[in-house]
Amino acid sequence: MTNGTVLVTGGSRGIGAAIATRLAQDGYGVVVNYATDAEGATAVVREISQAGGRAAAVRADVADAGQVAAMFEKAGAFGEPLVALVNNAASVGQEAPMQDQQADALNRVVQTNVVGPALCAKHAIRAMSRKRGGVGGSIVNVASVAGQTGGLPNLVPYSATKGAVIAMTKGLAGEVAADGIRVNSVSPGVIDTEMSNRPAARQLAESSPMGRMGHPAEVAAAVSFLVSDAASFVTGTDLPVSGGR
């Protein structure tokens, strides 16, 4: 299987780990990015390798321009062209009413959730652009239905950044279509991860049309489709994976 290399940010656990595992099953070499959870990233790489796939873990804080640049230099570990970037790394930020939000916490959530995906997209475009000698490819941004609905109480900055990710997806899709690059996003609803371990999240999931939380693998399946050639005429689209919410 030599389908090229994909880079998944925040791939050490939760939705990111499910995406990395699914794309490895699809035949891609997967670069599993992490910022602090080396043990989790190593476990994901081990699982992929034991199943016969190709994976490598690379540490980088996506909010740091220098670390992002170094990460993309290391992404050629498999000797295959980069064909996809999945911008999954995110911070939920400070859980507090807006009037109690600290400036440093606000800055951090914006840097991680908005600037980070933009920095990664910058390098992915340079690597994949057909105008620059690349083979084209796909960028999939993991947004959230919170970016459209406002999300849970006390997490307004997080919701705002996810709205920005959806807007960036639509704008960037038009900008790089001629480079042979498609840009889409998925917007998960309440997914069964650590981030959803809140009473308000469980109540929101139970009130959705499907009456349950989603599973990380269900988000990964949507990402798999958007990365694949099956979505060759799909760009600038946000795909909700939210149980009907």
Side-chain angles (χ1 to χ4, degrees), residues 84-110:
L85 162 69
V86 181
N87 274 318
N88 170 73
S91 168
V92 73
Q94 181 183 5
E95 188 170 359
M98 185 61 78
Q99 65 267 25
D100 296 328
Q101 291 281 339
Q102 300 298 311
D104 58 346
L106 287 170
N107 183 63
R108 180 62 187 173
V109 74
V110 170

Side-chain angles (χ1 to χ4, degrees), residues 1 12 18-19 25 49 61 65-66 70 93 95 108 119 130 133 137 151 175 185 190 194 203 216 224:
M1 296 183 292
S12 64
I19 291 170
Q25 292 170 352
S49 299
D61 180 347
E95 188 170 359
R108 180 62 187 173
L119 288 172
R130 289 176 182 161
E175 187 172 292
S185 59
V190 183
E194 291 180 17
Q203 292 170 6
S224 172

Side-chain angles (χ1 to χ4, degrees), residues 88-170:
N88 170 73
S91 168
V92 73
Q94 181 183 5
E95 188 170 359
M98 185 61 78
Q99 65 267 25
D100 296 328
Q101 291 281 339
Q102 300 298 311
D104 58 346
L106 287 170
N107 183 63
R108 180 62 187 173
V109 74
V110 170
Q111 289 292 317
T112 301
N113 296 5
V114 181
V115 177
L119 288 172
C120 290
K122 166 187 172 178
H123 287 278
I125 292 164
R126 290 180 173 182
M128 295 190 296
S129 171
R130 289 176 182 161
K131 295 178 181 179
R132 292 171 171 262
V135 298
S138 173
I139 296 173
V140 179
N141 297 317
V142 179
S144 171
V145 294
Q148 298 175 341
T149 66
L152 296 173
N154 300 328
L155 291 175
V156 171
Y158 171 80
S159 301
T161 62
K162 291 304 185 178
V165 167
I166 295 171
M168 178 169 62
T169 297
K170 295 181 181 297

Side-chain angles (χ1 to χ4, degrees), residues 2 4 39 85-86 111 126 137 157 178 207 214-215 235:
T2 56
E39 183 177 350
L85 162 69
V86 181
Q111 289 292 317
R126 290 180 173 182
S207 68
H215 303 296
T235 196

